[in-house]
Amino acid sequence: MSEIGTSTPVPSSAPAVEVDGLTKRFGARTAFEDVSFAVQYGEVFGFLGPNGAGKTTTVRTLGTLLEPTSGRATVAGLELRPDNGVEIRRRIAVMPEAPGLYLRLSVAENLEFFAGLYELDDRRARIERALRAVNLTDRADELCRTLSKGLRQRVGLARALLSDPRVLFLDEPTSGLDPVAAREVHDLIETLRSRGVTIFLTTHRLAEAERLCDRVAIMNTTLRLIGSPAELRDRLFSKSVELRVREPLPDPERVLGALPGVESWSAGPDAAGTYLLAVADPDQAASAVARAVVDAGADLLALTPSRHSLEDVYLQLIDTDVEASSR
Ligand SMILES: Nc1ncnc2c1ncn2[C@@H]1O[C@H](COP(=O)(O)OP(=O)(O)OP(=O)(O)O)[C@@H](O)[C@H]1O
């Protein structure tokens, strides 16, 4: 029997999700506006943004639960239109933040119920596959009421996998989970990714997005930035190397001012003897800096490329938005 993801036909080069100028308003309130992006098949695409940024509304719109106010989109190869709703829902699955299980039913009974509701064929095999995909085969007969939040989330994921979706929307799948349970969900997402399932993941956990996502979009009603975590870091932050020497350099400009690959230098904010160098290529610059420091007779303590995390990118961007809105 094939596993989740492996039986999904690999579609043409058309994107799994393509959004063009999409807007959703609730009366006078704009949930999201003029959003455009594309997600390729097989991608894990992260959707980040502060509370109220429009993430859930985007997922609900792409999942055909809400009609957009304007703009267009295709989802799993079909134009997002009311008359395509049934067929789109057949090709995708949405796991909302709360898994919505019947707590008085067992794990297997829940899955049987939803497989019936979705009018799926071959139910027994699908349920077995979904349980295997989330490592819950052994717990099929347990009542959902008795399961921890992390395990319920896994049942919710199994429910979403029943239809072997081409695109899986996960809305905050690790919200409220402890680090161990969250790690288990991460591992499951990685397994699904390795099987080629396309995943659209909304999350507040930036380390989660950094670890799991091929690309991320940062939303704040409008789409603010999109790219791989590394691209976003490079776009927002210049590359730099931090130099630490035992004693402050008597004449740092003489040592650091004319080095190949070093664009500028400044004294580090934290400690005497620390310098921050803006560079084009950290590895190339590091050897030139090390030689120059040693030639100047200084004791080199450390020379480290500054690492910016996706969290740095996010905070910088959202801070800019907050400043702009208070102007
Ligand atoms: N059914 C609705 N009716 C009116 N306004 C709504 C409705 N659903 C969402 N909104 C508004 O749309 C905006 C975006 O909400 P949404 O839930 O999509 O944000 P979010 O990014 O998912 O936030 P969070 O991270 O808190 O879940 C908010 O201002 C919200 O109040």
PDB file of all heavy atoms in Angstrom, residues 44 48 206 208-216 226-237 307-311 313:
ATOM      1  N   VAL A  44       7.469  23.570   1.283  1.00  0.00           N
ATOM      2  CA  VAL A  44       6.880  23.926   2.577  1.00  0.00           C
ATOM      3  C   VAL A  44       6.967  25.438   2.647  1.00  0.00           C
ATOM      4  O   VAL A  44       8.052  26.016   2.639  1.00  0.00           O
ATOM      5  CB  VAL A  44       7.638  23.277   3.754  1.00  0.00           C
ATOM      6  CG1 VAL A  44       7.011  23.718   5.083  1.00  0.00           C
ATOM      7  CG2 VAL A  44       7.599  21.760   3.645  1.00  0.00           C
ATOM      8  N   LEU A  48       3.835  33.951   7.811  1.00  0.00           N
ATOM      9  CA  LEU A  48       4.099  34.540   9.126  1.00  0.00           C
ATOM     10  C   LEU A  48       3.492  35.923   9.214  1.00  0.00           C
ATOM     11  O   LEU A  48       3.323  36.602   8.199  1.00  0.00           O
ATOM     12  CB  LEU A  48       5.609  34.689   9.347  1.00  0.00           C
ATOM     13  CG  LEU A  48       6.517  33.543   8.940  1.00  0.00           C
ATOM     14  CD1 LEU A  48       7.971  33.905   9.219  1.00  0.00           C
ATOM     15  CD2 LEU A  48       6.142  32.304   9.701  1.00  0.00           C
ATOM     16  N   LEU A 206       8.991  31.473  14.899  1.00  0.00           N
ATOM     17  CA  LEU A 206       9.915  31.808  13.808  1.00  0.00           C
ATOM     18  C   LEU A 206      10.989  30.748  13.640  1.00  0.00           C
ATOM     19  O   LEU A 206      11.405  30.449  12.522  1.00  0.00           O
ATOM     20  CB  LEU A 206      10.511  33.182  14.065  1.00  0.00           C
ATOM     21  CG  LEU A 206       9.394  34.237  14.041  1.00  0.00           C
ATOM     22  CD1 LEU A 206       9.808  35.489  14.763  1.00  0.00           C
ATOM     23  CD2 LEU A 206       8.992  34.542  12.624  1.00  0.00           C
ATOM     24  N   GLU A 208      10.528  27.680  14.064  1.00  0.00           N
ATOM     25  CA  GLU A 208       9.836  26.597  13.347  1.00  0.00           C
ATOM     26  C   GLU A 208       9.855  26.882  11.842  1.00  0.00           C
ATOM     27  O   GLU A 208      10.187  26.017  11.034  1.00  0.00           O
ATOM     28  CB  GLU A 208       8.396  26.559  13.866  1.00  0.00           C
ATOM     29  CG  GLU A 208       7.432  25.688  13.121  1.00  0.00           C
ATOM     30  CD  GLU A 208       6.094  25.618  13.881  1.00  0.00           C
ATOM     31  OE1 GLU A 208       6.052  25.034  14.977  1.00  0.00           O
ATOM     32  OE2 GLU A 208       5.100  26.160  13.372  1.00  0.00           O
ATOM     33  N   ALA A 209       9.526  28.119  11.488  1.00  0.00           N
ATOM     34  CA  ALA A 209       9.518  28.476  10.064  1.00  0.00           C
ATOM     35  C   ALA A 209      10.918  28.361   9.484  1.00  0.00           C
ATOM     36  O   ALA A 209      11.118  27.864   8.378  1.00  0.00           O
ATOM     37  CB  ALA A 209       8.992  29.890   9.895  1.00  0.00           C
ATOM     38  N   GLU A 210      11.896  28.811  10.256  1.00  0.00           N
ATOM     39  CA  GLU A 210      13.278  28.789   9.766  1.00  0.00           C
ATOM     40  C   GLU A 210      13.733  27.357   9.528  1.00  0.00           C
ATOM     41  O   GLU A 210      14.413  27.055   8.564  1.00  0.00           O
ATOM     42  CB  GLU A 210      14.174  29.471  10.799  1.00  0.00           C
ATOM     43  CG  GLU A 210      15.610  29.527  10.383  1.00  0.00           C
ATOM     44  CD  GLU A 210      16.254  30.838  10.798  1.00  0.00           C
ATOM     45  OE1 GLU A 210      15.931  31.336  11.884  1.00  0.00           O
ATOM     46  OE2 GLU A 210      17.084  31.339  10.029  1.00  0.00           O
ATOM     47  N   ARG A 211      13.301  26.477  10.412  1.00  0.00           N
ATOM     48  CA  ARG A 211      13.754  25.089  10.299  1.00  0.00           C
ATOM     49  C   ARG A 211      13.028  24.345   9.183  1.00  0.00           C
ATOM     50  O   ARG A 211      13.628  23.559   8.455  1.00  0.00           O
ATOM     51  CB  ARG A 211      13.509  24.394  11.646  1.00  0.00           C
ATOM     52  CG  ARG A 211      13.738  22.926  11.574  1.00  0.00           C
ATOM     53  CD  ARG A 211      13.636  22.222  12.893  1.00  0.00           C
ATOM     54  NE  ARG A 211      13.467  20.816  12.605  1.00  0.00           N
ATOM     55  CZ  ARG A 211      13.078  19.919  13.475  1.00  0.00           C
ATOM     56  NH1 ARG A 211      12.833  20.275  14.710  1.00  0.00           N
ATOM     57  NH2 ARG A 211      12.953  18.661  13.130  1.00  0.00           N
ATOM     58  N   LEU A 212      11.717  24.609   9.047  1.00  0.00           N
ATOM     59  CA  LEU A 212      10.919  23.750   8.179  1.00  0.00           C
ATOM     60  C   LEU A 212      10.694  24.293   6.775  1.00  0.00           C
ATOM     61  O   LEU A 212      10.468  23.516   5.844  1.00  0.00           O
ATOM     62  CB  LEU A 212       9.532  23.525   8.797  1.00  0.00           C
ATOM     63  CG  LEU A 212       9.476  22.762  10.112  1.00  0.00           C
ATOM     64  CD1 LEU A 212       8.050  22.778  10.651  1.00  0.00           C
ATOM     65  CD2 LEU A 212       9.939  21.332   9.911  1.00  0.00           C
ATOM     66  N   CYS A 213      10.709  25.623   6.631  1.00  0.00           N
ATOM     67  CA  CYS A 213      10.162  26.180   5.392  1.00  0.00           C
ATOM     68  C   CYS A 213      11.226  26.419   4.329  1.00  0.00           C
ATOM     69  O   CYS A 213      12.305  26.930   4.618  1.00  0.00           O
ATOM     70  CB  CYS A 213       9.442  27.493   5.691  1.00  0.00           C
ATOM     71  SG  CYS A 213       8.053  27.234   6.784  1.00  0.00           S
ATOM     72  N   ASP A 214      10.863  26.086   3.086  1.00  0.00           N
ATOM     73  CA  ASP A 214      11.735  26.415   1.964  1.00  0.00           C
ATOM     74  C   ASP A 214      11.693  27.917   1.736  1.00  0.00           C
ATOM     75  O   ASP A 214      12.701  28.551   1.504  1.00  0.00           O
ATOM     76  CB  ASP A 214      11.245  25.701   0.696  1.00  0.00           C
ATOM     77  CG  ASP A 214      11.261  24.199   0.891  1.00  0.00           C
ATOM     78  OD1 ASP A 214      12.341  23.686   1.189  1.00  0.00           O
ATOM     79  OD2 ASP A 214      10.203  23.555   0.786  1.00  0.00           O
ATOM     80  N   ARG A 215      10.479  28.483   1.788  1.00  0.00           N
ATOM     81  CA  ARG A 215      10.324  29.932   1.659  1.00  0.00           C
ATOM     82  C   ARG A 215       9.292  30.391   2.666  1.00  0.00           C
ATOM     83  O   ARG A 215       8.440  29.605   3.089  1.00  0.00           O
ATOM     84  CB  ARG A 215       9.849  30.310   0.247  1.00  0.00           C
ATOM     85  CG  ARG A 215      10.961  30.213  -0.788  1.00  0.00           C
ATOM     86  CD  ARG A 215      10.490  30.745  -2.126  1.00  0.00           C
ATOM     87  NE  ARG A 215       9.213  30.163  -2.465  1.00  0.00           N
ATOM     88  CZ  ARG A 215       8.222  30.830  -3.048  1.00  0.00           C
ATOM     89  NH1 ARG A 215       8.361  32.103  -3.367  1.00  0.00           N
ATOM     90  NH2 ARG A 215       7.080  30.233  -3.335  1.00  0.00           N
ATOM     91  N   VAL A 216       9.380  31.653   3.012  1.00  0.00           N
ATOM     92  CA  VAL A 216       8.372  32.211   3.913  1.00  0.00           C
ATOM     93  C   VAL A 216       7.852  33.518   3.329  1.00  0.00           C
ATOM     94  O   VAL A 216       8.555  34.213   2.591  1.00  0.00           O
ATOM     95  CB  VAL A 216       8.923  32.486   5.336  1.00  0.00           C
ATOM     96  CG1 VAL A 216       9.354  31.214   6.023  1.00  0.00           C
ATOM     97  CG2 VAL A 216      10.057  33.477   5.307  1.00  0.00           C
ATOM     98  N   ILE A 226       8.934  38.153   0.871  1.00  0.00           N
ATOM     99  CA  ILE A 226       8.814  36.730   0.547  1.00  0.00           C
ATOM    100  C   ILE A 226      10.168  36.229   0.058  1.00  0.00           C
ATOM    101  O   ILE A 226      10.882  36.954  -0.638  1.00  0.00           O
ATOM    102  CB  ILE A 226       7.698  36.509  -0.506  1.00  0.00           C
ATOM    103  CG1 ILE A 226       7.433  35.032  -0.724  1.00  0.00           C
ATOM    104  CG2 ILE A 226       8.001  37.181  -1.806  1.00  0.00           C
ATOM    105  CD1 ILE A 226       6.129  34.774  -1.458  1.00  0.00           C
ATOM    106  N   GLY A 227      10.544  35.046   0.463  1.00  0.00           N
ATOM    107  CA  GLY A 227      11.817  34.476   0.016  1.00  0.00           C
ATOM    108  C   GLY A 227      12.242  33.367   0.970  1.00  0.00           C
ATOM    109  O   GLY A 227      11.542  33.069   1.943  1.00  0.00           O
ATOM    110  N   SER A 228      13.385  32.754   0.691  1.00  0.00           N
ATOM    111  CA  SER A 228      13.894  31.748   1.625  1.00  0.00           C
ATOM    112  C   SER A 228      14.388  32.498   2.862  1.00  0.00           C
ATOM    113  O   SER A 228      14.739  33.689   2.768  1.00  0.00           O
ATOM    114  CB  SER A 228      15.037  30.958   0.990  1.00  0.00           C
ATOM    115  OG  SER A 228      16.158  31.806   0.863  1.00  0.00           O
ATOM    116  N   PRO A 229      14.431  31.828   4.023  1.00  0.00           N
ATOM    117  CA  PRO A 229      14.933  32.522   5.206  1.00  0.00           C
ATOM    118  C   PRO A 229      16.308  33.163   4.950  1.00  0.00           C
ATOM    119  O   PRO A 229      16.549  34.300   5.356  1.00  0.00           O
ATOM    120  CB  PRO A 229      15.008  31.408   6.260  1.00  0.00           C
ATOM    121  CG  PRO A 229      13.897  30.477   5.871  1.00  0.00           C
ATOM    122  CD  PRO A 229      13.904  30.489   4.350  1.00  0.00           C
ATOM    123  N   ALA A 230      17.177  32.479   4.212  1.00  0.00           N
ATOM    124  CA  ALA A 230      18.515  33.047   3.949  1.00  0.00           C
ATOM    125  C   ALA A 230      18.424  34.291   3.079  1.00  0.00           C
ATOM    126  O   ALA A 230      19.106  35.289   3.316  1.00  0.00           O
ATOM    127  CB  ALA A 230      19.399  31.989   3.298  1.00  0.00           C
ATOM    128  N   GLU A 231      17.562  34.256   2.059  1.00  0.00           N
ATOM    129  CA  GLU A 231      17.401  35.440   1.190  1.00  0.00           C
ATOM    130  C   GLU A 231      16.894  36.639   1.981  1.00  0.00           C
ATOM    131  O   GLU A 231      17.340  37.756   1.788  1.00  0.00           O
ATOM    132  CB  GLU A 231      16.392  35.153   0.075  1.00  0.00           C
ATOM    133  CG  GLU A 231      16.944  34.372  -1.088  1.00  0.00           C
ATOM    134  CD  GLU A 231      15.830  33.810  -1.979  1.00  0.00           C
ATOM    135  OE1 GLU A 231      14.637  34.084  -1.720  1.00  0.00           O
ATOM    136  OE2 GLU A 231      16.166  33.083  -2.901  1.00  0.00           O
ATOM    137  N   LEU A 232      15.941  36.379   2.871  1.00  0.00           N
ATOM    138  CA  LEU A 232      15.376  37.489   3.643  1.00  0.00           C
ATOM    139  C   LEU A 232      16.430  38.089   4.561  1.00  0.00           C
ATOM    140  O   LEU A 232      16.518  39.305   4.705  1.00  0.00           O
ATOM    141  CB  LEU A 232      14.173  37.030   4.464  1.00  0.00           C
ATOM    142  CG  LEU A 232      13.001  36.473   3.666  1.00  0.00           C
ATOM    143  CD1 LEU A 232      11.776  36.309   4.557  1.00  0.00           C
ATOM    144  CD2 LEU A 232      12.656  37.357   2.487  1.00  0.00           C
ATOM    145  N   ARG A 233      17.246  37.224   5.152  1.00  0.00           N
ATOM    146  CA  ARG A 233      18.335  37.731   6.011  1.00  0.00           C
ATOM    147  C   ARG A 233      19.260  38.616   5.202  1.00  0.00           C
ATOM    148  O   ARG A 233      19.640  39.692   5.622  1.00  0.00           O
ATOM    149  CB  ARG A 233      19.135  36.560   6.597  1.00  0.00           C
ATOM    150  CG  ARG A 233      18.501  35.918   7.791  1.00  0.00           C
ATOM    151  CD  ARG A 233      19.515  35.033   8.489  1.00  0.00           C
ATOM    152  NE  ARG A 233      19.899  33.896   7.669  1.00  0.00           N
ATOM    153  CZ  ARG A 233      19.302  32.713   7.725  1.00  0.00           C
ATOM    154  NH1 ARG A 233      18.300  32.521   8.543  1.00  0.00           N
ATOM    155  NH2 ARG A 233      19.695  31.727   6.973  1.00  0.00           N
ATOM    156  N   ASP A 234      19.630  38.133   4.004  1.00  0.00           N
ATOM    157  CA  ASP A 234      20.573  38.893   3.182  1.00  0.00           C
ATOM    158  C   ASP A 234      19.962  40.216   2.731  1.00  0.00           C
ATOM    159  O   ASP A 234      20.654  41.212   2.588  1.00  0.00           O
ATOM    160  CB  ASP A 234      20.985  38.091   1.936  1.00  0.00           C
ATOM    161  CG  ASP A 234      21.927  36.965   2.310  1.00  0.00           C
ATOM    162  OD1 ASP A 234      22.302  36.898   3.510  1.00  0.00           O
ATOM    163  OD2 ASP A 234      22.267  36.156   1.438  1.00  0.00           O
ATOM    164  N   ARG A 235      18.647  40.199   2.487  1.00  0.00           N
ATOM    165  CA  ARG A 235      18.002  41.404   1.977  1.00  0.00           C
ATOM    166  C   ARG A 235      17.911  42.473   3.069  1.00  0.00           C
ATOM    167  O   ARG A 235      18.042  43.651   2.803  1.00  0.00           O
ATOM    168  CB  ARG A 235      16.606  41.066   1.461  1.00  0.00           C
ATOM    169  CG  ARG A 235      16.321  41.782   0.164  1.00  0.00           C
ATOM    170  CD  ARG A 235      14.964  41.468  -0.380  1.00  0.00           C
ATOM    171  NE  ARG A 235      14.752  40.071  -0.704  1.00  0.00           N
ATOM    172  CZ  ARG A 235      13.544  39.547  -0.925  1.00  0.00           C
ATOM    173  NH1 ARG A 235      12.478  40.300  -0.831  1.00  0.00           N
ATOM    174  NH2 ARG A 235      13.419  38.283  -1.226  1.00  0.00           N
ATOM    175  N   LEU A 236      17.689  42.028   4.286  1.00  0.00           N
ATOM    176  CA  LEU A 236      17.465  43.018   5.346  1.00  0.00           C
ATOM    177  C   LEU A 236      18.724  43.384   6.119  1.00  0.00           C
ATOM    178  O   LEU A 236      18.784  44.448   6.716  1.00  0.00           O
ATOM    179  CB  LEU A 236      16.411  42.492   6.330  1.00  0.00           C
ATOM    180  CG  LEU A 236      15.111  43.259   6.266  1.00  0.00           C
ATOM    181  CD1 LEU A 236      14.437  43.074   4.931  1.00  0.00           C
ATOM    182  CD2 LEU A 236      14.186  42.853   7.381  1.00  0.00           C
ATOM    183  N   PHE A 237      19.680  42.495   6.142  1.00  0.00           N
ATOM    184  CA  PHE A 237      20.866  42.770   6.955  1.00  0.00           C
ATOM    185  C   PHE A 237      22.105  42.667   6.086  1.00  0.00           C
ATOM    186  O   PHE A 237      22.229  41.731   5.303  1.00  0.00           O
ATOM    187  CB  PHE A 237      20.992  41.760   8.102  1.00  0.00           C
ATOM    188  CG  PHE A 237      19.885  41.863   9.089  1.00  0.00           C
ATOM    189  CD1 PHE A 237      18.817  40.989   9.050  1.00  0.00           C
ATOM    190  CD2 PHE A 237      19.892  42.838  10.071  1.00  0.00           C
ATOM    191  CE1 PHE A 237      17.778  41.089   9.962  1.00  0.00           C
ATOM    192  CE2 PHE A 237      18.867  42.953  10.990  1.00  0.00           C
ATOM    193  CZ  PHE A 237      17.807  42.072  10.928  1.00  0.00           C
ATOM    194  N   ARG A 307      25.378  36.129  12.812  1.00  0.00           N
ATOM    195  CA  ARG A 307      24.246  35.370  12.277  1.00  0.00           C
ATOM    196  C   ARG A 307      22.969  36.113  12.604  1.00  0.00           C
ATOM    197  O   ARG A 307      22.715  36.442  13.756  1.00  0.00           O
ATOM    198  CB  ARG A 307      24.188  33.983  12.936  1.00  0.00           C
ATOM    199  CG  ARG A 307      25.225  33.036  12.433  1.00  0.00           C
ATOM    200  CD  ARG A 307      24.742  32.194  11.279  1.00  0.00           C
ATOM    201  NE  ARG A 307      23.471  31.534  11.552  1.00  0.00           N
ATOM    202  CZ  ARG A 307      22.598  31.211  10.617  1.00  0.00           C
ATOM    203  NH1 ARG A 307      22.825  31.525   9.370  1.00  0.00           N
ATOM    204  NH2 ARG A 307      21.481  30.581  10.923  1.00  0.00           N
ATOM    205  N   HIS A 308      22.179  36.387  11.591  1.00  0.00           N
ATOM    206  CA  HIS A 308      20.862  36.950  11.864  1.00  0.00           C
ATOM    207  C   HIS A 308      19.851  35.842  11.667  1.00  0.00           C
ATOM    208  O   HIS A 308      19.921  35.087  10.707  1.00  0.00           O
ATOM    209  CB  HIS A 308      20.571  38.106  10.915  1.00  0.00           C
ATOM    210  CG  HIS A 308      21.423  39.304  11.191  1.00  0.00           C
ATOM    211  ND1 HIS A 308      21.203  40.108  12.282  1.00  0.00           N
ATOM    212  CD2 HIS A 308      22.483  39.806  10.552  1.00  0.00           C
ATOM    213  CE1 HIS A 308      22.110  41.060  12.289  1.00  0.00           C
ATOM    214  NE2 HIS A 308      22.896  40.902  11.249  1.00  0.00           N
ATOM    215  N   SER A 309      18.916  35.760  12.593  1.00  0.00           N
ATOM    216  CA  SER A 309      17.901  34.715  12.482  1.00  0.00           C
ATOM    217  C   SER A 309      16.695  35.279  11.741  1.00  0.00           C
ATOM    218  O   SER A 309      16.574  36.487  11.535  1.00  0.00           O
ATOM    219  CB  SER A 309      17.471  34.261  13.872  1.00  0.00           C
ATOM    220  OG  SER A 309      16.858  35.346  14.529  1.00  0.00           O
ATOM    221  N   LEU A 310      15.793  34.374  11.391  1.00  0.00           N
ATOM    222  CA  LEU A 310      14.544  34.814  10.776  1.00  0.00           C
ATOM    223  C   LEU A 310      13.787  35.713  11.760  1.00  0.00           C
ATOM    224  O   LEU A 310      13.090  36.637  11.371  1.00  0.00           O
ATOM    225  CB  LEU A 310      13.704  33.586  10.407  1.00  0.00           C
ATOM    226  CG  LEU A 310      12.440  33.860   9.610  1.00  0.00           C
ATOM    227  CD1 LEU A 310      12.729  34.553   8.307  1.00  0.00           C
ATOM    228  CD2 LEU A 310      11.684  32.556   9.362  1.00  0.00           C
ATOM    229  N   GLU A 311      13.983  35.446  13.043  1.00  0.00           N
ATOM    230  CA  GLU A 311      13.336  36.283  14.052  1.00  0.00           C
ATOM    231  C   GLU A 311      13.828  37.732  13.949  1.00  0.00           C
ATOM    232  O   GLU A 311      13.041  38.671  14.053  1.00  0.00           O
ATOM    233  CB  GLU A 311      13.629  35.719  15.445  1.00  0.00           C
ATOM    234  CG  GLU A 311      12.907  36.474  16.528  1.00  0.00           C
ATOM    235  CD  GLU A 311      12.989  35.780  17.883  1.00  0.00           C
ATOM    236  OE1 GLU A 311      13.701  34.763  17.989  1.00  0.00           O
ATOM    237  OE2 GLU A 311      12.348  36.265  18.812  1.00  0.00           O
ATOM    238  N   VAL A 313      14.856  39.191  11.243  1.00  0.00           N
ATOM    239  CA  VAL A 313      14.238  39.740  10.030  1.00  0.00           C
ATOM    240  C   VAL A 313      12.814  40.172  10.351  1.00  0.00           C
ATOM    241  O   VAL A 313      12.380  41.280  10.045  1.00  0.00           O
ATOM    242  CB  VAL A 313      14.213  38.674   8.897  1.00  0.00           C
ATOM    243  CG1 VAL A 313      13.369  39.141   7.726  1.00  0.00           C
ATOM    244  CG2 VAL A 313      15.618  38.327   8.452  1.00  0.00           C
TER     245      VAL A 313
END
